[in-house]
C-alpha cells in the first residue's frame, strides 16, 4: 500500500450533479422506465394545479422518453397534446390550454426575486433561449438545481442538474405559475453531499473520505477502500449543512494529517479545519468573499514549496485562478491561469494521470456531460482530452488517490438517480472499470 505521505498527496488532489441516463463511460444501471399507467389529474386545463401534479406531469414525459422537436406534439397524461420542446414541456406540466413559448410563458407566471425563492414546479426561464422546470435543490446550501427539461434536438425529456453559477451565468430567471397551489411536495432524502477525500485518518494506509448527510447536516467519516455506510461509518460532527463547499486539501498545518477548508454559506468566509476530527474547536478563518468562487478544487503542490495549492473558478467571469497554501490568499496573491471555465459543472483534482509528475484534473461539461482531462500545472486548453461522456448523470465525483494498489489514481462517483456509489479506475475512468461499492449515497 502507498505511504502516508503519498496517500495524503493523492488525496489532496480531489474536488468536490441529477440525470436519468448514465454516462457512456460509467457503470450500467437501470435505464429510464416507461410507466405503464399515466398519472391521474386533480386539476383542469388552465385551472389551479398543485406542485405535486406539475412534477408528476413533467415526469410522465421523462418516463415516456419523449423526443425533442419544435414541430412535433405529444400527449399529456390525459391525451391533450403539447409541442415537444422546452416551453411545450413546461406548458404541459402547468396544464396550460396550449403550448406557450419562452417569451410568452411570463404571461402565465410571476417573476421571483431570487433563485432562493424557487419551489418545486416553478420555472427557470431565459426568455430568449430556453426554459426548464425546477424540481428542487440537490443540497441544503442551494448550490445545484435539479430540473426537468427538453434540451435540444437529438435528446429526450430528461432530468438534469446544473450548478447555481451556471444558471446565473446563462441568465435564467425564476418564475412561478400564477395558478399553482401550495400543496406540499415531499422531497426525498438526497443521501450524502460534500463527499471529500481526507487521506488516511485511521492509520491503515488507505485513503478515507468524509461526507455530509443532506437531511440533517451531520458529518461522517467513511473508511476506504469500500467506504461502507451504516454502522461502519463514524459520525464526527454536525451542523455542516451551513457550509456551501467542503474541500480536502492535504496537510496545511504540518502535523502529517490532512486538513479541510470550507466556505460558510451565509457570509462566504473561508475556514480551515484540522484533522482528523475537523472539530469546531480547530476552525480558523483564513479568507473572505469565497462565495464569489465555485469549483474550489485541491491540486496538490503546484508551486514546489511543499504546501498544497487549490484552483477555483470565479463565478462572475469564468476565470480560473490558482491559490497558494496554506491560507489561499486572494487579491494580488492569486494567479489567473485560464478563462471560460464556467462551462463546467464539476472540476475534480485526481492526481497524476499522465505520469509526468504533475497533478491533473478532470472536468464535466455542464451542457453535454462530456468528461475532459486537463494536465497540470496550468490546465490550459492545449492539454484538454475528452475521456468520457454522459457524466452529468453522476454526482459527488471525488478523487481519492490509488485505492486499487495499481499505482494509478482512482475516482469515486455517485449515480444521482440511484444514489449508488461507484469506483472507477484511472487513468481513463472508463465505464468498464466501474465497480459498485455502496448505496444510499
Amino acid at each position: 500500500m502507498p505511504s502516508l505521505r503519498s496517500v495524503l498527496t493523492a488525496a489532496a488532489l480531489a474536488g468536490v450533479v441529477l440525470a436519468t441516463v448514465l454516462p457512456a463511460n460509467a457503470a450500467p444501471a437501470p435505464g429510464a422506465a416507461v410507466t405503464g399507467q399515466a398519472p391521474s389529474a386533480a386539476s383542469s386545463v388552465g385551472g389551479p394545479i398543485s406542485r405535486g401534479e406539475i412534477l408528476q406531469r413533467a415526469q410522465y414525459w421523462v418516463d415516456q422518453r419523449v423526443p425533442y422537436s419544435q414541430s412535433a406534439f405529444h400527449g399529456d397524461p390525459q391525451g391533450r397534446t403539447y409541442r415537444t420542446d422546452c416551453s411545450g414541456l413546461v406548458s404541459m406540466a402547468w396544464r396550460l390550454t396550449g403550448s406557450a413559448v419562452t417569451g410568452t410563458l411570463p404571461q402565465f407566471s410571476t417573476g421571483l426575486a431570487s433563485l432562493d425563492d424557487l419551489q418545486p414546479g416553478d420555472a427557470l426561464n431565459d426568455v430568449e433561449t430556453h426554459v426548464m422546470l425546477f424540481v428542487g435543490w440537490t443540497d441544503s446550501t442551494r448550490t445545484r438545481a435539479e430540473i426537468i427539461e427538453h434540451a435540444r434536438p437529438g435528446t429526450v425529456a430528461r432530468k438534469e442538474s446544473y450548478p447555481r453559477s451556471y444558471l446565473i451565468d446563462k441568465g435564467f430567471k425564476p418564475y412561478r405559475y400564477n395558478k399553482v397551489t401550495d400543496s406540499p411536495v415531499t422531497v426525498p432524502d438526497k443521501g450524502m453531499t460534500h463527499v471529500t477525500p481526507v487521506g488516511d485518518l485511521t492509520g491503515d494506509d488507505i485513503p478515507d473520505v468524509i461526507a455530509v448527510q443532506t437531511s440533517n447536516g451531520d458529518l461522517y467519516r467513511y473508511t476506504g477502500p469500500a467506504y461502507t455506510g451504516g454502522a461502519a461509518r463514524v459520525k464526527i460532527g454536525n451542523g455542516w449543512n451551513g457550509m456551501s463547499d467542503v474541500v480536502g486539501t492535504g496537510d496545511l498545518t504540518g502535523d502529517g494529517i490532512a486538513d479541510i477548508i470550507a466556505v460558510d454559506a451565509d457570509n462566504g468566509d473561508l475556514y480551515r479545519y484540522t484533522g482528523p476530527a475537523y472539530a469546531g474547536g480547530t476552525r480558523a478563518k483564513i479568507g473572505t468573499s469565497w462565495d464569489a468562487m465555485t469549483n474550489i478544487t485541491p491540486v496538490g503542490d503546484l508551486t514546489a514549496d511543499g504546501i498544497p495549492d487549490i484552483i477555483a473558478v470565479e463565478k462572475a467571469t469564468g476565470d480560473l485562478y490558482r491559490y497558494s497554501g496554506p491560507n489561499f490568499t486572494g487579491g494580488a496573491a492569486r494567479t489567473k491561469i485560464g478563462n471560460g471555465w464556467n462551462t463546467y459543472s464539476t472540476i475534480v483534482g485526481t492526481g497524476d494521470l499522465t505520469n509526468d509528475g504533475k497533478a491533473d484534473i478532470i472536468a464535466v461539461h455542464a451542457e453535454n456531460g462530456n468528461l475532459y482531462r486537463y494536465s497540470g500545472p496550468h490546465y490550459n486548453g492545449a492539454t484538454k482530452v475528452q475521456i468520457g461522456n454522459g457524466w452529468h448523470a453522476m454526482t459527488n465525483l471525488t478523487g481519492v488517490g490509488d485505492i486499487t494498489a495499481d499505482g494509478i489514481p482512482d475516482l469515486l462517483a455517485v449515480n444521482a438517480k440511484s444514489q449508488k456509489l461507484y469506483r472507477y479506475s484511472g487513468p481513463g475512468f472508463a465505464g468498464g472499470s466501474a465497480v459498485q461499492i455502496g448505496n444510499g449515497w
Side-chain angles (χ1 to χ4, degrees):
M1 296 305 294
S3 67
L4 173 63
R5 178 179 177 84
S6 65
V7 168
L8 287 175
T9 300
L13 308 177
V16 173
V17 326
L18 293 173
T20 58
V21 291
L22 281 172
N25 277 12
V34 177
T35 56
Q37 183 176 1
S40 59
S43 65
S44 59
V45 176
I49 186 170
S50 72
R51 297 185 183 280
E53 187 179 343
I54 289 173
L55 296 185
Q56 287 179 343
R57 290 172 63 83
Q59 184 65 43
Y60 178 67
W61 271 19
V62 172
D63 292 340
Q64 293 288 314
R65 298 182 60 81
V66 176
Y68 178 98
S69 174
Q70 292 185 325
S71 58
F73 288 74
H74 190 84
D76 71 355
Q78 288 71 45
R80 190 179 187 88
T81 59
Y82 294 83
R83 191 179 58 251
T84 56
D85 58 9
C86 64
S87 51
L89 185 150
V90 174
S91 300
M92 184 276 298
W94 286 353
R95 211 176 184 192
L96 302 183
T97 57
S99 301
V101 297
T102 53
T104 60
L105 279 171
Q107 298 176 13
F108 304 93
S109 56
T110 300
L112 305 175
S114 166
L115 295 181
D116 291 324
D117 296 326
L118 283 165
Q119 296 184 38
D122 294 340
L124 285 156
N125 192 7
D126 173 0
V127 296
E128 300 295 332
T129 58
H130 188 48
V131 64
M132 307 178 291
L133 194 74
F134 178 76
V135 176
W137 297 105
T138 66
D139 54 74
S140 60
T141 55
R142 302 178 180 177
T143 58
R144 193 173 194 90
E146 181 183 4
I147 57 89
I148 293 177
E149 68 174 349
H150 249 324
R152 65 185 71 86
T155 65
V156 298
R158 67 185 188 185
K159 274 187 176 176
E160 183 57 274
S161 71
Y162 295 109
R164 186 188 188 104
S165 57
Y166 174 81
L167 301 176
I168 294 172
D169 292 341
K170 295 298 183 181
F172 285 101
K173 304 297 183 185
Y175 288 86
R176 178 164 300 153
Y177 180 42
N178 291 334
K179 295 185 179 181
V180 69
T181 63
D182 286 328
S183 298
V185 174
T186 300
V187 179
D189 177 15
K190 297 296 183 182
M192 309 304 292
T193 188
H194 298 314
V195 181
T196 305
V198 288
D200 176 23
L201 298 180
T202 58
D204 60 359
D205 283 339
I206 303 173
D208 304 311
V209 301
I210 58 174
V212 178
Q213 188 157 321
T214 305
S215 60
N216 57 22
D218 288 346
L219 182 68
Y220 288 89
R221 185 190 74 225
Y222 293 79
T223 302
Y227 309 108
T228 309
R233 67 180 185 173
V234 178
K235 180 179 174 180
I236 58 174
N238 55 62
W240 283 81
N241 48 2
M243 312 306 286
S244 61
D245 295 271
V246 180
V247 180
T249 58
D251 182 16
L252 299 175
T253 58
D255 62 359
I257 302 173
D259 304 307
I260 65 173
I261 57 175
V263 178
D264 191 298
D266 288 336
N267 54 32
D269 289 344
L270 181 68
Y271 292 90
R272 183 191 70 230
Y273 293 79
T274 302
Y278 312 110
T282 70
R283 166 170 152 155
K285 181 177 174 180
I286 59 173
T288 62
S289 301
W290 278 82
D291 48 355
M293 309 303 293
T294 189
N295 274 318
I296 302 170
T297 306
V299 287
D301 179 18
L302 297 180
T303 56
D305 62 358
I307 304 173
D309 305 309
I310 63 173
I311 58 175
V313 178
E314 189 172 57
K315 294 178 182 179
T317 63
D319 292 341
L320 181 68
Y321 288 90
R322 185 190 73 227
Y323 294 79
S324 296
N327 292 325
F328 312 114
T329 308
R334 68 180 184 173
T335 301
K336 180 179 173 180
I337 59 174
N339 54 58
W341 283 80
N342 51 2
T343 59
Y344 292 103
S345 60
T346 304
I347 301 174
V348 181
T350 58
D352 183 14
L353 298 174
T354 56
N355 202 31
D356 62 358
K358 299 180 177 67
D360 304 309
I361 63 174
I362 57 175
V364 179
H365 197 282
E367 290 192 7
N368 58 31
N370 289 342
L371 182 69
Y372 296 93
R373 185 192 72 226
Y374 287 81
S375 296
H378 298 298
Y379 313 111
N380 59 49
T383 69
K384 175 180 176 180
V385 178
Q386 182 178 341
I387 59 174
N389 56 66
W391 279 81
H392 43 21
M394 311 302 286
T395 186
N396 279 317
L397 276 66
T398 307
V400 290
D402 178 21
I403 55 175
T404 56
D406 62 358
I408 304 173
D410 302 306
L411 180 75
L412 301 181
V414 177
N415 179 301
K417 181 179 179 181
S418 68
Q419 294 182 236
K420 293 178 179 179
L421 178 68
Y422 291 89
R423 184 193 72 225
Y424 295 82
S425 296
F429 311 118
S433 74
V435 176
Q436 182 189 334
I437 59 174
N439 52 61
W441 281 77

